[in-house]
Amino acid sequence: MIQLFHVSKYYDRRPALSNVSLAIEKGEFVVLMGASGAGKSTLLKLLIAAERPDEGQILVQGRNVAKLRPSEIPYLRRRIGIVFQDFRLLPKRTVFENVALPLMVQGAAGGEIRRKVAEALKAVGVDHKREQFPSSLSAGEQQRACIARAIVNGPIILLADEPTGNLDPELTSEIIELFKVINARGTTVMVATHDPQVMAQVNRRIVTLMEGKLVADQRLGS
């Protein structure tokens, strides 16, 4: 599903990632652990072709991400859902409109948009907030709306970059449980975090980065 072969990425000649090799199988739930600056966000950016590796190869579903033409990148991203720490909801659009945005960009028909958005909102438990604006939502509800937006296309991979960084422990637990439900439906999930609570709650596979290097890869209980 995802393969990295000796991947390195440099910023101003300083390595953000250094010689990282990693393989993630279809349907896995992987927690990417590491302190701030460890290279977690850089790795996720490489997977969606927001950045290009300076060395090595990255394959997603057998395709070399680094060699995709610019016109091919949107098709890659349609298969990958992304959740951010800072929500990135458009403040002047309703929850429904925010979640519908990826489908609208693709030119989906109105009926398909209404059906898929309704399914995504119901799946994350905020269907009753569909006509509200982000400012009226709690932090947990905003993150649920972001997850709905990330899964509305039915992605095969879901990437989350510090998705619980702005949440308290109780909300963190709720969001991780939601990721586990999405994973149980067949979606490959990778959550980048520095929060030990996430690691303990997932208890699947923990990949640890330190100063750009992969220092541990542990498969735990399920």
Side-chain angles (χ1 to χ4, degrees):
M1 175 63 70
I2 298 172
Q3 295 173 291
L4 286 76
F5 301 96
H6 305 290
V7 171
S8 295
K9 177 66 181 178
Y10 302 93
Y11 296 110
D12 296 325
R13 297 185 179 181
R14 298 181 64 179
L17 287 176
S18 181
N19 195 31
V20 172
S21 293
L22 179 66
I24 298 171
E25 301 297 328
K26 180 179 179 181
E28 279 199 274
F29 193 137
V30 178
V31 176
L32 185 63
M33 289 291 296
S36 177
K40 305 186 303 297
S41 294
T42 297
L43 193 154
L44 298 188
K45 289 177 182 178
L46 290 171
L47 294 180
I48 61 171
E51 299 279 2
R52 304 275 182 163
D54 292 306
E55 297 171 2
Q57 291 188 333
I58 300 171
L59 304 182
V60 177
Q61 281 199 301
R63 300 196 67 185
N64 191 330
V65 173
K67 293 186 177 181
L68 291 178
R69 296 189 297 271
S71 61
E72 296 176 309
I73 293 174
Y75 295 97
L76 167 74
R77 294 178 183 170
R78 290 178 189 178
R79 307 297 289 154
I80 302 176
I82 309 168
V83 179
F84 301 99
Q85 175 180 350
D86 54 359
F87 308 142
R88 302 192 185 183
L89 295 170
L90 299 176
K92 295 185 179 181
R93 299 207 178 207
T94 65
V95 169
F96 182 96
E97 291 168 335
N98 269 281
V99 176
L101 193 58
L103 297 171
M104 295 171 65
V105 169
Q106 294 176 27
E112 180 184 6
I113 291 174
R114 287 189 292 274
R115 176 179 59 82
K116 288 188 174 182
V117 172
E119 290 173 352
L121 290 174
K122 185 176 181 180
V124 303
V126 290
D127 48 319
H128 60 298
K129 301 285 186 177
R130 56 188 291 155
E131 299 303 327
Q132 296 192 26
F133 291 92
S135 60
S136 69
L137 304 182
S138 68
E141 289 168 341
Q142 288 188 59
Q143 193 59 292
R144 286 175 180 268
C146 292
I147 295 170
R149 182 179 57 191
I151 66 173
V152 73
N153 276 332
I156 58 173
I157 299 168
L158 180 62
L159 306 177
D161 192 2
E162 297 284 2
T164 63
N166 290 326
L167 306 179
D168 63 31
E170 183 177 352
L171 289 175
T172 292
S173 180
E174 290 180 7
I175 293 301
I176 296 306
E177 285 303 313
L178 182 54
F179 283 138
K180 289 167 75 171
V181 170
I182 293 168
N183 174 248
R185 294 174 179 169
T187 303
T188 303
V189 176
M190 176 182 282
V191 175
T193 184
H194 66 276
D195 187 350
Q197 179 185 348
V198 175
M199 178 179 68
Q201 189 172 346
V202 174
N203 197 34
R204 304 284 180 84
R205 181 180 177 191
I206 311 299
V207 173
T208 304
L209 293 176
M210 182 181 294
E211 297 181 349
K213 298 179 180 179
L214 196 159
V215 296
D217 187 351
Q218 302 168 283
R219 295 180 186 272
L220 308 175
S222 58

